[in-house]
Amino acid sequence: MLNVDQLKNIKGKVVVCRVDFNVPLKDGAIRDDNRVRAALPTIQKLVKEGARVVLFSHLGKVKHKEAPEVVEAQKAKNNLAVVAPRLGELLGQKVAFCPETRGDAFVNAVKALKDGEVLLIQNTRYEKGEEKNDPELAKIWASVADAYVMDAFGSAHRAHASTYGIPEILKAEGKPVACGYLVEKEIANLMRCVDVKDSDRPYVAILGGLKVSDKIKVIDSLLKKCDKILIGGAMAYTFKKALGYEIGSSPVEDDQLDYARNCFKEANGRIVLPVDSVVTDAFEGWTKKEVVGDNVPAGYQGMDIGPKTAELFASEIAKAKMIFWNGPMGVFEQKDFQNGTVAICKAVAGLKGAFSVCGGGDSAAAIKEFGYKESFSHVSTGGGASLEMIENDGHLPGVDILK
Ligand code: ADP
Ligand code: MG
């Protein structure tokens, strides 16, 4: 696989670069520009080489099967135009924005570029063919490109038109495709959690967050690689219920109970579940908050791991040589339920000489908010992508196609 340094003679050439500008928005403004910053080294390199840089990214979701007015509302909400000025500030040069993803406006905007200039194209998901990897759409986009650079690690687990279709066509035409610096760095770090060396054991995975069904395959793969899996967050209640505990009105996925039971049995003591919880009488606007043990009483729901669990998990983390963490331990967006997630951060910060990776949009936001970003060896910009890399033994479609 080529990297961006190995792309030769790109001065004056149109280099299409897939970046991940899927930034969190609040009231139409960028709430966190981490992902824009993460793409800067690659963009700066292309600019320095005198390439004509055309950036593609998705932003949020556009569900094309919905009624037209719903689709229009989703498009309005996920208009990528908001990113162009911020990118311009960070790069220190003007960034042009093309509101169209095809047609004359698109082709002319690319043609108007001079060497070293940057153009951002509207949200790729405005096109319904993007997520289907529609060959016709990929052809339109590939037709303006002399070379392709993949730097959207957060989207590398998706074989979409912009992540897979374009490089596939360019490769067939004998044009160069390469990975950017961010993708290169992510792969190098995450591969350590995939191909586990003996010197990195004990290897402890920490899983939390919301959905068991989203993370099922990764539990299976992690069981093959890890020495211990600590499970917190909402996910834990599906396991607790499967093992016969009361969970009150905690979030649960009833169709995953058999899976959770089998998984726990197969793990043979290597899955560690919470022994207590912080519970409330409602998710929002609660009036009662308590710490309970293994069972959550009726009328209450688990919002965070309890203090005993935090201690138990911290003692497991203290023994680790390598950590992979995805998913917060509680509803960390609310102040009262941050302790579990903070406890994990502190335990990781206390490790000496261990290798620690955190992947996941919310997990990464949490550790940044709590001031522990520097305590981790690597904080991945990709949640789904980092999980899928572990699931698929290091393979991601958007990376494999570059090889
Ligand atoms: P990531 O983005 O790091 O992969 P997820 O998206 O899977 O993580 O999950 C994050 C969400 O899980 C957060 O919004 C958090 O509030 C929620 N969560 C964690 N624990 C609970 C819980 N006990 N009940 C409800 N939601 C929870
Ligand atoms: Mg999330």
PDB file of all heavy atoms in Angstrom, residues 222-258:
ATOM      1  N   LEU A 222     -12.913 -10.619  20.460  1.00  0.00           N
ATOM      2  CA  LEU A 222     -12.108 -10.212  21.616  1.00  0.00           C
ATOM      3  C   LEU A 222     -11.848 -11.394  22.549  1.00  0.00           C
ATOM      4  O   LEU A 222     -10.774 -11.507  23.125  1.00  0.00           O
ATOM      5  CB  LEU A 222     -12.788  -9.070  22.373  1.00  0.00           C
ATOM      6  CG  LEU A 222     -12.656  -7.685  21.723  1.00  0.00           C
ATOM      7  CD1 LEU A 222     -13.557  -6.672  22.416  1.00  0.00           C
ATOM      8  CD2 LEU A 222     -11.208  -7.185  21.738  1.00  0.00           C
ATOM      9  N   LEU A 223     -12.837 -12.277  22.643  1.00  0.00           N
ATOM     10  CA  LEU A 223     -12.649 -13.456  23.508  1.00  0.00           C
ATOM     11  C   LEU A 223     -11.502 -14.323  23.011  1.00  0.00           C
ATOM     12  O   LEU A 223     -10.839 -15.000  23.789  1.00  0.00           O
ATOM     13  CB  LEU A 223     -13.938 -14.278  23.571  1.00  0.00           C
ATOM     14  CG  LEU A 223     -14.954 -13.837  24.618  1.00  0.00           C
ATOM     15  CD1 LEU A 223     -16.243 -14.631  24.488  1.00  0.00           C
ATOM     16  CD2 LEU A 223     -14.385 -13.975  26.029  1.00  0.00           C
ATOM     17  N   LYS A 224     -11.275 -14.297  21.710  1.00  0.00           N
ATOM     18  CA  LYS A 224     -10.169 -15.084  21.148  1.00  0.00           C
ATOM     19  C   LYS A 224      -8.818 -14.428  21.424  1.00  0.00           C
ATOM     20  O   LYS A 224      -7.798 -15.096  21.437  1.00  0.00           O
ATOM     21  CB  LYS A 224     -10.344 -15.253  19.637  1.00  0.00           C
ATOM     22  CG  LYS A 224     -11.533 -16.122  19.289  1.00  0.00           C
ATOM     23  CD  LYS A 224     -11.541 -16.489  17.806  1.00  0.00           C
ATOM     24  CE  LYS A 224     -12.883 -17.064  17.403  1.00  0.00           C
ATOM     25  NZ  LYS A 224     -13.713 -16.115  16.633  1.00  0.00           N
ATOM     26  N   LYS A 225      -8.835 -13.108  21.599  1.00  0.00           N
ATOM     27  CA  LYS A 225      -7.564 -12.385  21.702  1.00  0.00           C
ATOM     28  C   LYS A 225      -7.221 -11.934  23.121  1.00  0.00           C
ATOM     29  O   LYS A 225      -6.055 -11.819  23.463  1.00  0.00           O
ATOM     30  CB  LYS A 225      -7.602 -11.133  20.814  1.00  0.00           C
ATOM     31  CG  LYS A 225      -7.795 -11.430  19.340  1.00  0.00           C
ATOM     32  CD  LYS A 225      -7.828 -10.147  18.532  1.00  0.00           C
ATOM     33  CE  LYS A 225      -8.377 -10.346  17.143  1.00  0.00           C
ATOM     34  NZ  LYS A 225      -7.600 -11.273  16.313  1.00  0.00           N
ATOM     35  N   CYS A 226      -8.264 -11.632  23.920  1.00  0.00           N
ATOM     36  CA  CYS A 226      -8.020 -10.959  25.203  1.00  0.00           C
ATOM     37  C   CYS A 226      -7.922 -11.928  26.362  1.00  0.00           C
ATOM     38  O   CYS A 226      -8.404 -13.048  26.303  1.00  0.00           O
ATOM     39  CB  CYS A 226      -9.169 -10.014  25.517  1.00  0.00           C
ATOM     40  SG  CYS A 226      -9.262  -8.694  24.369  1.00  0.00           S
ATOM     41  N   ASP A 227      -7.345 -11.441  27.442  1.00  0.00           N
ATOM     42  CA  ASP A 227      -7.303 -12.219  28.667  1.00  0.00           C
ATOM     43  C   ASP A 227      -8.510 -11.920  29.539  1.00  0.00           C
ATOM     44  O   ASP A 227      -8.988 -12.782  30.261  1.00  0.00           O
ATOM     45  CB  ASP A 227      -5.996 -11.926  29.403  1.00  0.00           C
ATOM     46  CG  ASP A 227      -4.801 -12.275  28.517  1.00  0.00           C
ATOM     47  OD1 ASP A 227      -4.639 -13.466  28.217  1.00  0.00           O
ATOM     48  OD2 ASP A 227      -4.084 -11.358  28.072  1.00  0.00           O
ATOM     49  N   LYS A 228      -9.005 -10.701  29.494  1.00  0.00           N
ATOM     50  CA  LYS A 228     -10.195 -10.328  30.261  1.00  0.00           C
ATOM     51  C   LYS A 228     -11.024  -9.340  29.449  1.00  0.00           C
ATOM     52  O   LYS A 228     -10.464  -8.507  28.724  1.00  0.00           O
ATOM     53  CB  LYS A 228      -9.788  -9.620  31.572  1.00  0.00           C
ATOM     54  CG  LYS A 228      -9.331 -10.544  32.704  1.00  0.00           C
ATOM     55  CD  LYS A 228     -10.507 -11.023  33.550  1.00  0.00           C
ATOM     56  CE  LYS A 228     -10.167 -12.252  34.401  1.00  0.00           C
ATOM     57  NZ  LYS A 228      -9.300 -11.960  35.556  1.00  0.00           N
ATOM     58  N   ILE A 229     -12.346  -9.417  29.585  1.00  0.00           N
ATOM     59  CA  ILE A 229     -13.226  -8.394  29.010  1.00  0.00           C
ATOM     60  C   ILE A 229     -14.090  -7.836  30.131  1.00  0.00           C
ATOM     61  O   ILE A 229     -14.844  -8.577  30.769  1.00  0.00           O
ATOM     62  CB  ILE A 229     -14.133  -8.950  27.895  1.00  0.00           C
ATOM     63  CG1 ILE A 229     -13.303  -9.636  26.805  1.00  0.00           C
ATOM     64  CG2 ILE A 229     -14.970  -7.834  27.281  1.00  0.00           C
ATOM     65  CD1 ILE A 229     -14.131 -10.184  25.659  1.00  0.00           C
ATOM     66  N   LEU A 230     -13.962  -6.555  30.375  1.00  0.00           N
ATOM     67  CA  LEU A 230     -14.779  -5.890  31.392  1.00  0.00           C
ATOM     68  C   LEU A 230     -15.970  -5.259  30.676  1.00  0.00           C
ATOM     69  O   LEU A 230     -15.783  -4.505  29.721  1.00  0.00           O
ATOM     70  CB  LEU A 230     -13.960  -4.797  32.101  1.00  0.00           C
ATOM     71  CG  LEU A 230     -12.509  -5.137  32.452  1.00  0.00           C
ATOM     72  CD1 LEU A 230     -11.821  -3.923  33.109  1.00  0.00           C
ATOM     73  CD2 LEU A 230     -12.436  -6.349  33.363  1.00  0.00           C
ATOM     74  N   ILE A 231     -17.179  -5.576  31.094  1.00  0.00           N
ATOM     75  CA  ILE A 231     -18.355  -5.037  30.404  1.00  0.00           C
ATOM     76  C   ILE A 231     -19.151  -4.128  31.340  1.00  0.00           C
ATOM     77  O   ILE A 231     -19.596  -4.555  32.410  1.00  0.00           O
ATOM     78  CB  ILE A 231     -19.254  -6.166  29.850  1.00  0.00           C
ATOM     79  CG1 ILE A 231     -18.467  -6.982  28.824  1.00  0.00           C
ATOM     80  CG2 ILE A 231     -20.518  -5.583  29.222  1.00  0.00           C
ATOM     81  CD1 ILE A 231     -19.258  -8.090  28.153  1.00  0.00           C
ATOM     82  N   GLY A 232     -19.290  -2.863  30.933  1.00  0.00           N
ATOM     83  CA  GLY A 232     -20.098  -1.902  31.689  1.00  0.00           C
ATOM     84  C   GLY A 232     -21.089  -1.242  30.762  1.00  0.00           C
ATOM     85  O   GLY A 232     -21.427  -1.779  29.710  1.00  0.00           O
ATOM     86  N   GLY A 233     -21.549  -0.059  31.137  1.00  0.00           N
ATOM     87  CA  GLY A 233     -22.500   0.667  30.284  1.00  0.00           C
ATOM     88  C   GLY A 233     -23.839  -0.049  30.238  1.00  0.00           C
ATOM     89  O   GLY A 233     -24.097  -1.001  30.986  1.00  0.00           O
ATOM     90  N   ALA A 234     -24.686   0.400  29.311  1.00  0.00           N
ATOM     91  CA  ALA A 234     -26.010  -0.187  29.176  1.00  0.00           C
ATOM     92  C   ALA A 234     -25.926  -1.658  28.783  1.00  0.00           C
ATOM     93  O   ALA A 234     -26.743  -2.485  29.185  1.00  0.00           O
ATOM     94  CB  ALA A 234     -26.811   0.604  28.144  1.00  0.00           C
ATOM     95  N   MET A 235     -24.897  -1.969  27.982  1.00  0.00           N
ATOM     96  CA  MET A 235     -24.671  -3.342  27.526  1.00  0.00           C
ATOM     97  C   MET A 235     -24.692  -4.372  28.645  1.00  0.00           C
ATOM     98  O   MET A 235     -25.110  -5.510  28.460  1.00  0.00           O
ATOM     99  CB  MET A 235     -23.255  -3.404  26.957  1.00  0.00           C
ATOM    100  CG  MET A 235     -23.151  -3.336  25.511  1.00  0.00           C
ATOM    101  SD  MET A 235     -21.394  -3.351  25.149  1.00  0.00           S
ATOM    102  CE  MET A 235     -21.208  -5.059  24.846  1.00  0.00           C
ATOM    103  N   ALA A 236     -24.172  -3.974  29.804  1.00  0.00           N
ATOM    104  CA  ALA A 236     -23.999  -4.914  30.902  1.00  0.00           C
ATOM    105  C   ALA A 236     -25.339  -5.510  31.360  1.00  0.00           C
ATOM    106  O   ALA A 236     -25.390  -6.654  31.812  1.00  0.00           O
ATOM    107  CB  ALA A 236     -23.317  -4.213  32.081  1.00  0.00           C
ATOM    108  N   TYR A 237     -26.434  -4.732  31.206  1.00  0.00           N
ATOM    109  CA  TYR A 237     -27.716  -5.217  31.739  1.00  0.00           C
ATOM    110  C   TYR A 237     -28.284  -6.368  30.927  1.00  0.00           C
ATOM    111  O   TYR A 237     -29.023  -7.201  31.461  1.00  0.00           O
ATOM    112  CB  TYR A 237     -28.699  -4.040  31.888  1.00  0.00           C
ATOM    113  CG  TYR A 237     -28.128  -3.044  32.861  1.00  0.00           C
ATOM    114  CD1 TYR A 237     -27.517  -1.871  32.414  1.00  0.00           C
ATOM    115  CD2 TYR A 237     -28.094  -3.326  34.222  1.00  0.00           C
ATOM    116  CE1 TYR A 237     -26.920  -0.992  33.302  1.00  0.00           C
ATOM    117  CE2 TYR A 237     -27.496  -2.449  35.127  1.00  0.00           C
ATOM    118  CZ  TYR A 237     -26.910  -1.296  34.659  1.00  0.00           C
ATOM    119  OH  TYR A 237     -26.301  -0.449  35.540  1.00  0.00           O
ATOM    120  N   THR A 238     -27.954  -6.422  29.647  1.00  0.00           N
ATOM    121  CA  THR A 238     -28.376  -7.576  28.853  1.00  0.00           C
ATOM    122  C   THR A 238     -27.694  -8.834  29.403  1.00  0.00           C
ATOM    123  O   THR A 238     -28.319  -9.887  29.538  1.00  0.00           O
ATOM    124  CB  THR A 238     -28.029  -7.348  27.364  1.00  0.00           C
ATOM    125  OG1 THR A 238     -28.747  -6.202  26.908  1.00  0.00           O
ATOM    126  CG2 THR A 238     -28.409  -8.545  26.503  1.00  0.00           C
ATOM    127  N   PHE A 239     -26.423  -8.714  29.759  1.00  0.00           N
ATOM    128  CA  PHE A 239     -25.706  -9.846  30.351  1.00  0.00           C
ATOM    129  C   PHE A 239     -26.262 -10.194  31.731  1.00  0.00           C
ATOM    130  O   PHE A 239     -26.473 -11.367  32.036  1.00  0.00           O
ATOM    131  CB  PHE A 239     -24.208  -9.528  30.446  1.00  0.00           C
ATOM    132  CG  PHE A 239     -23.493  -9.703  29.135  1.00  0.00           C
ATOM    133  CD1 PHE A 239     -23.452  -8.681  28.204  1.00  0.00           C
ATOM    134  CD2 PHE A 239     -22.872 -10.905  28.834  1.00  0.00           C
ATOM    135  CE1 PHE A 239     -22.810  -8.840  26.993  1.00  0.00           C
ATOM    136  CE2 PHE A 239     -22.220 -11.080  27.622  1.00  0.00           C
ATOM    137  CZ  PHE A 239     -22.188 -10.047  26.695  1.00  0.00           C
ATOM    138  N   LYS A 240     -26.526  -9.170  32.542  1.00  0.00           N
ATOM    139  CA  LYS A 240     -27.024  -9.433  33.894  1.00  0.00           C
ATOM    140  C   LYS A 240     -28.382 -10.149  33.834  1.00  0.00           C
ATOM    141  O   LYS A 240     -28.617 -11.102  34.556  1.00  0.00           O
ATOM    142  CB  LYS A 240     -27.167  -8.119  34.687  1.00  0.00           C
ATOM    143  CG  LYS A 240     -25.867  -7.421  35.035  1.00  0.00           C
ATOM    144  CD  LYS A 240     -24.945  -8.229  35.933  1.00  0.00           C
ATOM    145  CE  LYS A 240     -25.145  -7.956  37.404  1.00  0.00           C
ATOM    146  NZ  LYS A 240     -24.081  -8.601  38.230  1.00  0.00           N
ATOM    147  N   LYS A 241     -29.245  -9.679  32.935  1.00  0.00           N
ATOM    148  CA  LYS A 241     -30.559 -10.316  32.814  1.00  0.00           C
ATOM    149  C   LYS A 241     -30.400 -11.765  32.345  1.00  0.00           C
ATOM    150  O   LYS A 241     -31.062 -12.666  32.852  1.00  0.00           O
ATOM    151  CB  LYS A 241     -31.452  -9.531  31.844  1.00  0.00           C
ATOM    152  CG  LYS A 241     -32.856 -10.113  31.764  1.00  0.00           C
ATOM    153  CD  LYS A 241     -33.831  -9.223  31.022  1.00  0.00           C
ATOM    154  CE  LYS A 241     -35.210  -9.901  30.935  1.00  0.00           C
ATOM    155  NZ  LYS A 241     -36.173  -9.112  30.170  1.00  0.00           N
ATOM    156  N   ALA A 242     -29.508 -11.960  31.386  1.00  0.00           N
ATOM    157  CA  ALA A 242     -29.281 -13.302  30.858  1.00  0.00           C
ATOM    158  C   ALA A 242     -28.828 -14.264  31.954  1.00  0.00           C
ATOM    159  O   ALA A 242     -29.097 -15.461  31.896  1.00  0.00           O
ATOM    160  CB  ALA A 242     -28.244 -13.254  29.735  1.00  0.00           C
ATOM    161  N   LEU A 243     -28.154 -13.732  32.966  1.00  0.00           N
ATOM    162  CA  LEU A 243     -27.647 -14.580  34.047  1.00  0.00           C
ATOM    163  C   LEU A 243     -28.642 -14.688  35.202  1.00  0.00           C
ATOM    164  O   LEU A 243     -28.332 -15.255  36.242  1.00  0.00           O
ATOM    165  CB  LEU A 243     -26.305 -14.043  34.552  1.00  0.00           C
ATOM    166  CG  LEU A 243     -25.182 -14.024  33.501  1.00  0.00           C
ATOM    167  CD1 LEU A 243     -23.898 -13.487  34.096  1.00  0.00           C
ATOM    168  CD2 LEU A 243     -24.945 -15.416  32.928  1.00  0.00           C
ATOM    169  N   GLY A 244     -29.823 -14.080  34.994  1.00  0.00           N
ATOM    170  CA  GLY A 244     -30.890 -14.278  35.974  1.00  0.00           C
ATOM    171  C   GLY A 244     -31.048 -13.173  37.005  1.00  0.00           C
ATOM    172  O   GLY A 244     -31.836 -13.301  37.938  1.00  0.00           O
ATOM    173  N   TYR A 245     -30.320 -12.086  36.858  1.00  0.00           N
ATOM    174  CA  TYR A 245     -30.469 -10.977  37.810  1.00  0.00           C
ATOM    175  C   TYR A 245     -31.650 -10.094  37.431  1.00  0.00           C
ATOM    176  O   TYR A 245     -32.068 -10.053  36.265  1.00  0.00           O
ATOM    177  CB  TYR A 245     -29.192 -10.123  37.843  1.00  0.00           C
ATOM    178  CG  TYR A 245     -27.994 -10.856  38.390  1.00  0.00           C
ATOM    179  CD1 TYR A 245     -27.016 -11.350  37.537  1.00  0.00           C
ATOM    180  CD2 TYR A 245     -27.849 -11.061  39.763  1.00  0.00           C
ATOM    181  CE1 TYR A 245     -25.908 -12.039  38.036  1.00  0.00           C
ATOM    182  CE2 TYR A 245     -26.756 -11.746  40.273  1.00  0.00           C
ATOM    183  CZ  TYR A 245     -25.778 -12.238  39.402  1.00  0.00           C
ATOM    184  OH  TYR A 245     -24.704 -12.910  39.897  1.00  0.00           O
ATOM    185  N   GLU A 246     -32.141  -9.345  38.420  1.00  0.00           N
ATOM    186  CA  GLU A 246     -33.175  -8.342  38.158  1.00  0.00           C
ATOM    187  C   GLU A 246     -32.493  -7.106  37.585  1.00  0.00           C
ATOM    188  O   GLU A 246     -31.446  -6.687  38.090  1.00  0.00           O
ATOM    189  CB  GLU A 246     -33.857  -7.927  39.473  1.00  0.00           C
ATOM    190  CG  GLU A 246     -34.571  -9.044  40.211  1.00  0.00           C
ATOM    191  CD  GLU A 246     -35.747  -9.578  39.408  1.00  0.00           C
ATOM    192  OE1 GLU A 246     -36.389  -8.761  38.709  1.00  0.00           O
ATOM    193  OE2 GLU A 246     -35.995 -10.800  39.457  1.00  0.00           O
ATOM    194  N   ILE A 247     -33.104  -6.503  36.558  1.00  0.00           N
ATOM    195  CA  ILE A 247     -32.478  -5.298  35.997  1.00  0.00           C
ATOM    196  C   ILE A 247     -33.436  -4.101  35.980  1.00  0.00           C
ATOM    197  O   ILE A 247     -33.126  -3.061  35.412  1.00  0.00           O
ATOM    198  CB  ILE A 247     -31.899  -5.551  34.593  1.00  0.00           C
ATOM    199  CG1 ILE A 247     -32.996  -5.972  33.614  1.00  0.00           C
ATOM    200  CG2 ILE A 247     -30.782  -6.586  34.637  1.00  0.00           C
ATOM    201  CD1 ILE A 247     -32.614  -5.726  32.165  1.00  0.00           C
ATOM    202  N   GLY A 248     -34.612  -4.259  36.612  1.00  0.00           N
ATOM    203  CA  GLY A 248     -35.568  -3.155  36.648  1.00  0.00           C
ATOM    204  C   GLY A 248     -35.898  -2.698  35.242  1.00  0.00           C
ATOM    205  O   GLY A 248     -36.116  -3.525  34.347  1.00  0.00           O
ATOM    206  N   SER A 249     -35.910  -1.384  35.015  1.00  0.00           N
ATOM    207  CA  SER A 249     -36.193  -0.894  33.656  1.00  0.00           C
ATOM    208  C   SER A 249     -34.912  -0.439  32.945  1.00  0.00           C
ATOM    209  O   SER A 249     -34.939   0.461  32.104  1.00  0.00           O
ATOM    210  CB  SER A 249     -37.240   0.222  33.705  1.00  0.00           C
ATOM    211  OG  SER A 249     -36.942   1.120  34.758  1.00  0.00           O
ATOM    212  N   SER A 250     -33.780  -1.058  33.280  1.00  0.00           N
ATOM    213  CA  SER A 250     -32.522  -0.760  32.580  1.00  0.00           C
ATOM    214  C   SER A 250     -32.646  -1.129  31.113  1.00  0.00           C
ATOM    215  O   SER A 250     -33.417  -2.017  30.757  1.00  0.00           O
ATOM    216  CB  SER A 250     -31.375  -1.583  33.175  1.00  0.00           C
ATOM    217  OG  SER A 250     -31.271  -1.359  34.559  1.00  0.00           O
ATOM    218  N   PRO A 251     -31.861  -0.463  30.252  1.00  0.00           N
ATOM    219  CA  PRO A 251     -31.901  -0.828  28.835  1.00  0.00           C
ATOM    220  C   PRO A 251     -31.490  -2.288  28.653  1.00  0.00           C
ATOM    221  O   PRO A 251     -30.563  -2.763  29.312  1.00  0.00           O
ATOM    222  CB  PRO A 251     -30.871   0.095  28.185  1.00  0.00           C
ATOM    223  CG  PRO A 251     -30.237   0.886  29.272  1.00  0.00           C
ATOM    224  CD  PRO A 251     -30.924   0.616  30.549  1.00  0.00           C
ATOM    225  N   VAL A 252     -32.203  -2.986  27.783  1.00  0.00           N
ATOM    226  CA  VAL A 252     -31.886  -4.411  27.558  1.00  0.00           C
ATOM    227  C   VAL A 252     -32.253  -4.770  26.128  1.00  0.00           C
ATOM    228  O   VAL A 252     -33.161  -4.188  25.543  1.00  0.00           O
ATOM    229  CB  VAL A 252     -32.667  -5.302  28.554  1.00  0.00           C
ATOM    230  CG1 VAL A 252     -34.166  -5.166  28.371  1.00  0.00           C
ATOM    231  CG2 VAL A 252     -32.231  -6.755  28.466  1.00  0.00           C
ATOM    232  N   GLU A 253     -31.520  -5.699  25.557  1.00  0.00           N
ATOM    233  CA  GLU A 253     -31.885  -6.232  24.247  1.00  0.00           C
ATOM    234  C   GLU A 253     -32.281  -7.686  24.444  1.00  0.00           C
ATOM    235  O   GLU A 253     -31.432  -8.572  24.535  1.00  0.00           O
ATOM    236  CB  GLU A 253     -30.715  -6.098  23.273  1.00  0.00           C
ATOM    237  CG  GLU A 253     -30.519  -4.671  22.818  1.00  0.00           C
ATOM    238  CD  GLU A 253     -29.295  -4.535  21.928  1.00  0.00           C
ATOM    239  OE1 GLU A 253     -29.350  -4.954  20.764  1.00  0.00           O
ATOM    240  OE2 GLU A 253     -28.281  -4.032  22.425  1.00  0.00           O
ATOM    241  N   ASP A 254     -33.597  -7.893  24.509  1.00  0.00           N
ATOM    242  CA  ASP A 254     -34.089  -9.225  24.835  1.00  0.00           C
ATOM    243  C   ASP A 254     -33.738 -10.275  23.789  1.00  0.00           C
ATOM    244  O   ASP A 254     -33.618 -11.450  24.114  1.00  0.00           O
ATOM    245  CB  ASP A 254     -35.606  -9.171  25.066  1.00  0.00           C
ATOM    246  CG  ASP A 254     -35.935  -8.623  26.458  1.00  0.00           C
ATOM    247  OD1 ASP A 254     -35.301  -9.080  27.429  1.00  0.00           O
ATOM    248  OD2 ASP A 254     -36.793  -7.723  26.569  1.00  0.00           O
ATOM    249  N   ASP A 255     -33.560  -9.844  22.539  1.00  0.00           N
ATOM    250  CA  ASP A 255     -33.210 -10.830  21.507  1.00  0.00           C
ATOM    251  C   ASP A 255     -31.730 -11.233  21.571  1.00  0.00           C
ATOM    252  O   ASP A 255     -31.284 -12.050  20.774  1.00  0.00           O
ATOM    253  CB  ASP A 255     -33.576 -10.304  20.111  1.00  0.00           C
ATOM    254  CG  ASP A 255     -32.954  -8.954  19.812  1.00  0.00           C
ATOM    255  OD1 ASP A 255     -32.510  -8.270  20.770  1.00  0.00           O
ATOM    256  OD2 ASP A 255     -32.886  -8.575  18.626  1.00  0.00           O
ATOM    257  N   GLN A 256     -30.995 -10.651  22.488  1.00  0.00           N
ATOM    258  CA  GLN A 256     -29.581 -11.004  22.611  1.00  0.00           C
ATOM    259  C   GLN A 256     -29.286 -11.790  23.891  1.00  0.00           C
ATOM    260  O   GLN A 256     -28.125 -12.040  24.219  1.00  0.00           O
ATOM    261  CB  GLN A 256     -28.707  -9.729  22.596  1.00  0.00           C
ATOM    262  CG  GLN A 256     -28.886  -8.850  21.379  1.00  0.00           C
ATOM    263  CD  GLN A 256     -28.478  -9.538  20.094  1.00  0.00           C
ATOM    264  OE1 GLN A 256     -27.666 -10.459  20.100  1.00  0.00           O
ATOM    265  NE2 GLN A 256     -29.044  -9.109  18.982  1.00  0.00           N
ATOM    266  N   LEU A 257     -30.334 -12.170  24.611  1.00  0.00           N
ATOM    267  CA  LEU A 257     -30.114 -12.837  25.904  1.00  0.00           C
ATOM    268  C   LEU A 257     -29.403 -14.177  25.746  1.00  0.00           C
ATOM    269  O   LEU A 257     -28.477 -14.490  26.496  1.00  0.00           O
ATOM    270  CB  LEU A 257     -31.445 -13.019  26.639  1.00  0.00           C
ATOM    271  CG  LEU A 257     -32.101 -11.718  27.130  1.00  0.00           C
ATOM    272  CD1 LEU A 257     -33.474 -11.992  27.738  1.00  0.00           C
ATOM    273  CD2 LEU A 257     -31.220 -11.002  28.145  1.00  0.00           C
ATOM    274  N   ASP A 258     -29.820 -14.971  24.764  1.00  0.00           N
ATOM    275  CA  ASP A 258     -29.179 -16.281  24.546  1.00  0.00           C
ATOM    276  C   ASP A 258     -27.718 -16.103  24.189  1.00  0.00           C
ATOM    277  O   ASP A 258     -26.844 -16.804  24.693  1.00  0.00           O
ATOM    278  CB  ASP A 258     -29.881 -17.048  23.419  1.00  0.00           C
ATOM    279  CG  ASP A 258     -31.230 -17.584  23.872  1.00  0.00           C
ATOM    280  OD1 ASP A 258     -31.406 -17.738  25.101  1.00  0.00           O
ATOM    281  OD2 ASP A 258     -32.093 -17.829  23.006  1.00  0.00           O
TER     282      ASP A 258
END
